[in-house]
Amino acid sequence: MNENLPPCPKCSCEYTYEMNALVVCPECGHESVPAEAATEGGEAAGERVVKDAVGNVLQDGDSVVVVKALKVKGSPSGIKAGTKVRNIRLVDGVDGHDIDCKVDGFGAMQLKSSVVKKA
């Protein structure tokens, strides 16, 4: 247990506790991110980090491999596991689809980072 937790910024209660990455106040229920965790990440504030299915950090231009078979609407066959996708772009997609790419045989589409791993 970390005995040096900051007091609650909302009600100044000193009995805060950690729950995952948050500091929680038991009196008012306020949840906040501790200041040292927000600054020690190494990335610039507000920069989005996208990780693949095994936890590797993805960047624009990376090559990835699909780790499970995917159904594609309008296609009799889907994308097979093991299909390599080159030159990805990271985007703020809809519904968790955060990779924009071109898949050979299917064309341009968006994938979720949870179904690929870095090649």
Side-chain angles (χ1 to χ4, degrees):
M1 290 283 301
N2 186 3
E3 302 298 318
N4 298 325
L5 292 174
C8 177
K10 194 170 187 180
C11 70
S12 300
C13 173
E14 61 184 22
Y15 300 111
T16 57
Y17 61 93
E18 285 184 289
M19 182 171 35
N20 298 330
L22 299 175
V23 175
V24 181
C25 176
E27 291 184 4
C28 70
H30 180 72
E31 298 176 346
S32 61
V33 178
E36 58 273 352
T39 58
E40 73 184 22
E43 275 83 23
E47 185 176 327
R48 190 175 60 117
V49 177
V50 178
K51 295 185 178 184
D52 66 2
V54 293
N56 298 323
V57 177
L58 296 174
Q59 298 176 348
D60 287 343
D62 282 345
S63 294
V64 295
V65 177
V66 178
V67 295
K68 69 179 211 175
L70 303 173
K71 295 179 183 178
V72 177
K73 190 184 283 188
S75 173
S77 64
I79 300 172
K80 295 180 182 178
T83 302
K84 189 169 186 177
V85 180
R86 294 183 187 92
N87 199 19
I88 65 169
R89 283 188 316 131
L90 301 178
V91 296
D92 290 328
V94 179
D95 208 21
H97 294 80
D98 46 8
I99 297 175
D100 196 21
C101 60
K102 289 184 183 175
V103 179
D104 290 340
F106 292 95
M109 63 176 48
Q110 290 188 339
L111 298 173
K112 292 184 178 183
S113 60
S114 61
V115 297
V116 299
K117 73 175 183 177
K118 196 170 187 175

